């Protein structure tokens, strides 16, 4: 039995609905071409290794310690994600699984090493236990190596695609260990999305669920928190965007908390802003699904993108680097908005169908690069969600 396979999952861009989606309003988002991948490869030594290439950080457990970890902790039934989140965020608290791992992650608050390893161990335990694996009886071990083409903390769904890869990879591992076929049908995808949501709870505290849904299914969707029957948006025309990465990392959890505090302090002001953002989503979907001329659709969507961005700015979600991007886009005649939690991360600029023929686009892209920003051209459309390939 060769534990040799790869899974991958796409990132996402939220077109409309950031922050308001947390309070029950709809959002619309779709997959992008950038992906996270997890490679499982066998090793002759009885060791389980976790390699996080994007940080970078590597830690390992002996196979015996890994089996002790599976026996002592039941992350499927007993230790719930919310409880584990509190352990991970405990002030000056030790790493929850410290005695099992050889190389300890950084103990600094919010450290990427701590949360990456903690979430990986938690999700792998949760999935293996849920799928009936309580110990691994093999002579050798394996390495789980995870890397992403996306910047971490940029608002492109890197943490959700990380969670999807962990859930999908642990599921494939469980099936192989039990000598069962690996089949990612709709029922399995639903479980993978749920496990990825659990990882998002640990990472962010109060996720909307939109990121893990996009990373799992790879569709442009209208999403409402708590409603599993997400609606696929029937695009009539491709949506071309330029993603601009500020290079400024930020904490989604902290930005969500700031917005929640503003909503509590100023309910008659912030409440209507969130409601307006929900209404804007419905209007935007109408244009995404419109069969009118592409130029007309582009113009209407550009207006909605600009309005949406100003609503987000009023919530304090912007950042000086984002403001520089907005100014450059406006100077060259394009609508732009932040995507994700804000406070850094990424923005996107809406592009017309023939944007590559436009001198204004060439000048805009050059101006952004001269200002030190990384840019990525992509098209929003139905794509591939989580994928599995045996090696």
């Amino acid at each position: 039995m060769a534990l040799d396979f790869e899974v991958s999952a796409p990132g996402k861009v939220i077109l409309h609905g950031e922050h308001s989606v947390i309070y029950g309003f709809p959002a619309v988002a779709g997959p992008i071409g950038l992906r996270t991948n997890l490679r499982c490869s066998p090793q002759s030594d009885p060791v389980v290794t976790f390699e996080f290439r994007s940080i970078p950080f590597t830690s390992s457990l002996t196979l015996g310690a890994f089996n002790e970890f599976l026996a002592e902790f039941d992350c499927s039934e007993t230790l719930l994600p919310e409880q584990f989140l509190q352990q991970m965020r405990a002030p000056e608290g030790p790493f929850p699984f410290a005695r099992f791992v050889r190389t300890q992650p950084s103990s600094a608050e919010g450290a990427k090493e701590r949360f990456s390893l903690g979430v990986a161990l938690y999700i792998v335990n949760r999935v293996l236990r849920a799928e009936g694996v309580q110990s691994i009886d093999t002579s050798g071990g394996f390495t789980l190596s995870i890397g992403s083409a996306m910047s971490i903390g940029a608002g492109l769904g890197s943490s959700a695609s990380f969670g999807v890869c962990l859930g999908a990879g642990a599921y494939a591992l469980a099936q192989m260990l039990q000598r069962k076929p690996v089949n990612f049908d709709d029922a399995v995808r639903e479980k993978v999305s749920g496990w990825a949501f659990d990882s998002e709870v640990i990472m962010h505290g109060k996720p909307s669920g939109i990121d893990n849904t996009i990373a799992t299914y790879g569709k442009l969707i209208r999403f409402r928190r708590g409603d599993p029957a997400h609606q696929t948006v029937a695009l009539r025309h491709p949506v071309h965007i330029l993603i601009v990465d500020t290079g400024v990392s930020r904490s989604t959890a902290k930005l969500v908390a700031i917005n929640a505090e503003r909503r509590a302090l100023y309910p008659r002001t912030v409440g209507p802003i969130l409601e307006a953002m929900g209404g804007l989503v419905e209007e935007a979907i109408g244009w995404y699904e419109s069969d009118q001329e592409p130029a007309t659709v582009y113009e209407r969507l550009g207006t909605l993108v600009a309005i949406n961005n100003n609503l987000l700015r009023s919530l304090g979600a912007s950042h000086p680097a984002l403001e520089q991007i907005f100014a450059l886009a406006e100077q060259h005649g394009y609508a732009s908005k932040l995507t994700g939690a804000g406070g850094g991360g990424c923005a996107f600029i809406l592009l017309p169908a023939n944007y590559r023929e436009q001198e204004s686009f060439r000048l805009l892209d050059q101006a952004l690069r001269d200002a030190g920003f990384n840019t990525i051209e992509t098209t929003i459309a139905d794509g591939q969600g989580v994928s599995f390939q045996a090696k």
Side-chain angles (χ1 to χ4, degrees):
M1 175 190 59
L3 299 176
D4 196 355
F5 62 86
E6 184 171 317
V7 296
S8 73
K12 68 89 182 61
V13 61
I14 298 180
L15 296 172
H16 309 283
E18 296 92 339
H19 289 290
S20 57
V21 71
I22 293 171
Y23 299 99
F25 296 102
V28 61
I32 58 176
L34 303 177
R35 299 178 73 88
T36 298
N37 67 78
L38 177 150
R39 175 71 185 270
C40 178
S41 54
Q43 55 177 312
S44 57
D45 294 334
V47 174
V48 177
T49 300
F50 289 86
E51 180 185 24
F52 306 98
R53 302 192 303 271
S54 297
I55 299 179
F57 173 70
T58 299
S59 188
S60 62
L61 308 78
T62 65
L63 195 56
F66 187 78
N67 283 333
E68 289 179 22
F69 165 62
L70 284 178
E72 184 169 333
F73 288 90
D74 183 357
C75 300
S76 177
E77 297 289 342
T78 306
L79 182 58
L80 299 179
E82 294 80 6
Q83 295 172 308
F84 187 62
L85 168 64
Q86 296 307 314
Q87 293 181 16
M88 290 291 287
R89 291 186 177 177
E92 300 180 359
F95 180 63
F97 306 134
R99 63 187 179 86
F100 300 105
V101 299
R102 289 171 163 177
T103 304
Q104 300 298 318
S106 170
S107 59
E109 182 182 356
K112 293 174 182 176
E113 295 92 342
R114 178 182 174 91
F115 274 83
S116 295
L117 182 59
V119 168
L121 286 168
Y122 180 90
I123 294 299
V124 170
N125 180 300
R126 189 169 178 82
V127 175
L128 292 182
R129 293 289 297 251
E131 295 299 312
V133 177
Q134 298 192 28
S135 66
I136 297 178
D137 183 18
T138 58
S139 58
F142 56 89
T143 297
L144 296 178
S145 179
I146 311 173
S148 181
M150 290 164 278
S151 298
I152 298 174
L156 298 179
S158 62
S159 66
S161 61
F162 173 79
V164 168
C165 284
L166 284 173
Y171 173 79
L173 183 64
Q175 297 300 100
M176 288 182 166
L177 288 169
Q178 297 175 92
R179 302 187 183 281
K180 296 179 181 179
V182 180
N183 178 23
F184 281 86
D185 57 21
D186 289 344
V188 172
R189 286 174 183 269
E190 184 176 355
K191 290 197 289 188
V192 168
S193 184
W195 291 323
F197 181 82
D198 295 336
S199 76
E200 290 282 271
V201 169
I202 300 166
M203 288 283 196
H204 304 306
K206 194 178 180 182
S208 67
I210 193 169
D211 287 20
N212 54 280
T213 303
I214 294 289
T216 302
Y217 295 99
K219 303 289 186 180
L220 180 67
I221 62 169
R222 175 192 181 277
F223 177 89
R224 188 187 292 272
R225 186 174 187 173
D227 181 5
H230 52 267
Q231 168 192 334
T232 300
V233 177
L235 275 175
R236 294 292 186 270
H237 308 287
V239 178
H240 306 287
I241 61 173
L242 184 70
I243 296 174
V244 188
D245 190 346
T246 65
V248 178
S249 184
R250 78 287 183 274
S251 166
T252 297
K254 288 182 179 179
L255 287 158
V256 168
I258 289 170
N259 190 41
E261 183 180 8
R262 287 192 176 196
R263 180 171 174 263
L265 289 172
Y266 313 109
R268 288 179 293 182
T269 300
V270 175
I273 293 173
L274 297 171
E275 184 177 357
M277 290 168 67
L280 186 146
V281 167
E282 304 292 13
E283 289 192 314
I285 289 174
W287 285 104
Y288 289 123
E289 296 186 330
S290 172
D291 57 4
Q292 292 195 35
E293 290 296 319
T296 301
V297 173
Y298 171 72
E299 181 183 352
R300 298 293 187 272
L301 286 174
T303 299
L304 290 173
V305 164
I307 293 172
N308 198 166
N309 196 46
N310 285 326
L311 291 172
L312 287 164
R313 292 159 97 182
S314 73
L315 295 177
S318 191
H319 182 276
L322 287 169
E323 291 296 323
Q324 188 177 3
I325 294 168
F326 304 152
L328 288 171
E330 186 174 9
Q331 287 170 19
H332 290 84
Y334 293 90
S336 63
K337 67 176 284 291
L338 65 87
T339 182
C346 289
F348 76 78
I349 298 170
L350 189 67
L351 302 174
N354 62 343
Y355 70 92
R356 286 200 180 97
E357 303 169 11
Q358 304 292 324
E359 178 69 5
S360 59
F361 171 74
R362 188 190 68 78
L363 293 173
L364 168 62
D365 191 52
Q366 188 61 53
L368 290 165
R369 292 178 180 276
D370 289 345
F373 299 116
N374 292 322
T375 63
I376 306 165
E377 297 174 44
T378 192
T379 298
I380 305 300
D382 285 349
Q384 185 182 37
V386 61
S387 68
F388 167 83
Q389 182 179 6
K391 297 296 182 179

